[in-house]
Amino acid sequence: MNTRRERMDMKPRYLIALLLLIPLADSLALVAFAQFVLDWRLVVALVVLTGLVGMLLVRAEGRHTLRRFERRVSMGEIPTNEVMDGGLLVAAGAFLLTPGLVTDGIGFLLAIPVTRYPVREVLKRYVVQPYLDKRADGFVSGTVWTGGFPGGDETYDMDPESYRFEDDS
């Protein structure tokens, strides 16, 4: 039976495998698209054009996110969404600089605000919140353990008839 620790250790393996599948998917998409278009120069031009347009989009979105960040800080608020947007824009830039149609598609998904919002919310829910809950013992999501000591394997029977009382005489 896998313990939680063993399952947590297996996640990086899946992440590495997923990251290795992206170039494979990119190569297959480029070959399939090159056969469809019949001219490799058009495919290369498309990859370069999507990279350039994507980088201009990331640059504009980065400026907009930086302005929102500064506005939130000046109002005394914590710019959590803006920081996450900045990280997603850095990832989008990395994907857009990598030649390929699949990576460009992922980069555009992370660069466009309409599609970046759901990605940010999923990351907050399934990555950031569990990490912070683990570090803060449940105080982030409010799932603080209130029923005794957490993680204990001992079970106590609270039935009053099952207690044994010894006489002190």
Side-chain angles (χ1 to χ4, degrees):
M1 180 177 189
N2 288 342
T3 63
R4 182 175 183 202
R5 180 76 172 151
E6 289 171 354
R7 285 183 295 204
M8 294 290 285
D9 290 339
M10 289 193 310
K11 286 185 181 180
R13 289 186 216 159
Y14 295 126
L15 183 62
I16 291 171
L18 180 67
L19 289 176
L20 290 176
L21 286 176
I22 291 174
L24 178 66
D26 245 342
S27 301
L28 293 174
L30 280 175
V31 168
F33 196 71
Q35 288 178 351
F36 176 72
V37 173
L38 298 176
D39 191 10
W40 63 271
R41 291 179 288 253
L42 288 174
V43 174
V44 171
L46 178 68
V47 169
V48 171
L49 183 66
T50 57
L52 289 174
V53 169
M55 290 310 297
L56 291 173
L57 176 65
V58 168
R59 186 175 171 190
E61 285 299 316
R63 287 180 178 158
H64 180 69
T65 301
L66 188 59
R67 283 194 300 270
R68 284 193 345 240
F69 178 87
E70 291 171 346
R71 191 174 332 127
R72 296 279 305 257
V73 169
S74 68
M75 293 176 7
E77 299 174 359
I78 299 174
T80 310
N81 290 337
E82 289 75 16
V83 170
M84 287 192 69
D85 280 348
L88 289 173
L89 286 171
V90 168
F95 278 119
L96 287 166
L97 282 176
T98 305
L101 299 175
V102 174
T103 53
D104 286 347
I106 295 171
F108 278 117
L109 284 176
L110 295 177
I112 298 172
V114 174
T115 56
R116 188 174 59 237
Y117 175 76
V119 172
R120 182 181 69 211
E121 294 302 315
V122 166
L123 281 176
K124 281 177 20 181
R125 183 174 188 165
Y126 294 107
V127 177
V128 175
Q129 185 176 349
Y131 174 77
L132 293 176
D133 267 343
K134 181 180 173 187
R135 300 285 298 201
D137 292 329
F139 280 97
V140 174
S141 64
T143 56
V144 180
W145 184 269
T146 58
F149 295 105
D153 291 336
E154 299 176 12
T155 304
Y156 297 101
D157 187 11
M158 298 305 289
D159 185 20
E161 295 175 6
S162 66
Y163 288 113
R164 184 177 65 187
F165 296 102
E166 296 183 14
D167 291 341
D168 289 335
S169 48

